[in-house]
Amino acid sequence: MPSIFSRIVNGELPCHRIAEEQRYMAFLDVMPLEKGHTLVIPKKETDYIFDLEPEEYNGLWIFSRKIAAAIGNSVPCKRVGIAVIGLEVPHAHIHLIPLNSGTINFSLPKLKLAEKEMQEIAAKIRKAYSLL
């Protein structure tokens, strides 16, 4: 059975897409810790990030770096934090989270943002990405 992220890649589920390349995709997390919290994935479903082929693994990080720059240029934050956990969805993914404090805490309550606000945030990050 395909992961939820594979279903997003295949267009079966909606997302707030930030950017897409041949092998990678970035979209807003639907349960963000902060406004602009973005997930970056390889399109090819692989459960564990360290099981990616070296070229795909390196490409994922290069793509993530561009997305992080776009987030940093469009969402008020001191930095963009990175987290790779890998247990909640069996599809390798990187969390890019705008930070204004020094920690990422996944046990904190998630934000519940209105659809319009999610669209606006995605549009800002997409625009910043297009200017890179």
Side-chain angles (χ1 to χ4, degrees):
M1 180 168 170
S3 75
I4 191 168
F5 295 161
S6 289
R7 294 181 66 206
I8 289 170
V9 168
N10 294 332
E12 298 169 25
L13 294 174
C15 73
H16 295 281
R17 190 178 319 254
I18 301 300
E20 183 174 0
E21 292 183 356
Q22 182 179 356
R23 297 171 73 177
Y24 312 103
M25 181 184 282
F27 49 90
L28 292 182
D29 191 315
V30 295
M31 297 182 352
L33 291 173
E34 298 290 341
K35 293 178 182 182
H37 180 167
T38 300
L39 299 173
V40 183
I41 65 167
K43 289 182 178 179
K44 177 183 170 191
E45 185 174 315
T46 302
D47 182 8
Y48 186 44
I49 196 165
F50 296 117
D51 286 340
L52 294 171
E53 293 297 324
E55 182 182 333
E56 187 173 20
Y57 176 86
N58 292 333
L60 180 65
W61 286 102
I62 291 167
F63 182 65
S64 295
R65 183 177 179 175
K66 293 179 205 173
I67 301 300
I71 294 168
N73 290 335
S74 58
V75 176
C77 63
K78 292 180 181 177
R79 293 199 168 179
V80 176
I82 300 168
V84 178
I85 301 169
L87 295 176
E88 65 280 358
V89 177
H91 191 131
H93 58 286
I94 297 169
H95 293 262
L96 298 176
I97 305 166
L99 297 175
N100 287 300
S101 67
T103 62
I104 296 173
N105 185 348
F106 282 89
S107 65
L108 291 175
K110 308 303 185 268
L111 300 178
K112 293 182 176 135
L113 303 176
E115 177 67 18
K116 182 176 181 184
E117 187 170 15
M118 292 286 280
Q119 291 171 353
E120 290 169 354
I121 293 167
K124 285 181 186 177
I125 301 171
R126 268 194 307 275
K127 182 177 181 182
Y129 180 81
S130 74
L131 297 174
L132 294 176

